[in-house]
Amino acid sequence: MLEPENLRGCFHCHTSASDGRNSLEEMAAAAQELGLQYLGIADHSRSSVQAGGLDAARLRLQVAAIAKLNKTFDGFRLFAGVECDILRDGSLDFDDETLGQLDYVVASVHSAFQLPEAELTARIILAIQNLHVTFLAHPTSRLLLRRESYAVDIPSILEAASPAGTSSCK
């Protein structure tokens, strides 16, 4: 059984820089109070305008702020990431140079849910094959009691994720 003391950290956390409620400093302090060893910050990317997504300049500032904060910690680390939108054509919201500056990348679909299953599946597979993608978040986009899943071939995505080294989360 998983117990709270078994947890070492968490990824895919949003700060007030996008749609979270707390600042980077507040998130780090809360994680440390919980006894975590690390926390991954992955605010939304620029295409998630409804979530106040970060553009490349704001993301670079956040990466620098995380690096500065990490110098003050003993036994704790913040990881710099982003929840990067998978665009309609399967490309990512940021270029490889920008993504390469991060510790990790969470890829997510936030739009064009109505695409046919084959097209949506191909879109996700193309995105997770990017060498910077670490995690695939909410692969069906289902919101319990609020939104049904979109049509997607999960077995094909999982098969493609394995050789790419991509994990599924959230």
Side-chain angles (χ1 to χ4, degrees):
M1 177 187 285
L2 183 64
E3 300 292 338
E5 60 269 12
N6 299 126
L7 297 177
R8 303 234 189 282
C10 180
F11 289 97
H12 197 153
C13 297
H14 301 302
T15 71
S16 55
S18 67
D19 62 344
R21 294 184 180 171
N22 298 93
S23 70
L24 187 57
E25 295 80 6
E26 291 168 333
M27 296 282 289
Q32 290 174 84
E33 286 175 27
L34 290 170
L36 298 180
Q37 296 173 355
Y38 63 86
L39 186 69
I41 302 299
D43 279 306
H44 286 278
S45 63
R46 61 186 170 198
S47 287
S48 286
V49 293
Q50 75 285 356
L54 280 66
D55 60 19
R58 289 178 60 213
L59 182 59
R60 280 191 299 275
L61 288 174
Q62 187 176 70
V63 170
I66 288 170
K68 184 177 178 182
L69 274 174
N70 275 333
K71 292 178 183 177
T72 69
F73 301 137
D74 183 26
F76 179 78
R77 179 173 174 199
L78 285 173
F79 287 92
V82 68
E83 182 176 0
C84 192
D85 272 37
I86 299 172
L87 304 178
R88 186 180 181 121
D89 66 357
S91 65
L92 297 171
D93 208 11
F94 289 120
D95 60 31
D96 284 343
E97 181 181 341
T98 301
L99 297 176
Q101 298 172 25
L102 303 170
D103 296 315
Y104 70 104
V105 173
V106 178
S108 302
V109 172
H110 289 110
S111 63
F113 298 155
Q114 77 290 352
L115 293 175
E117 180 177 341
E119 195 173 333
L120 192 46
T121 300
R123 170 187 183 188
I124 293 170
I125 289 172
L126 180 61
I128 65 174
Q129 290 173 337
N130 180 291
L131 64 99
H132 298 292
V133 172
T134 313
F135 302 105
L136 172 63
H138 41 78
T140 67
S141 198
R142 181 176 181 203
L143 292 175
L144 293 176
L145 305 177
R146 290 182 42 209
R147 181 174 64 212
E148 289 301 314
S149 302
Y150 46 62
V152 65
D153 183 352
I154 294 295
S156 293
I157 291 170
L158 292 175
E159 186 175 317
S162 180
T166 305
S167 301
S168 181
C169 69
K170 199 171 174 186

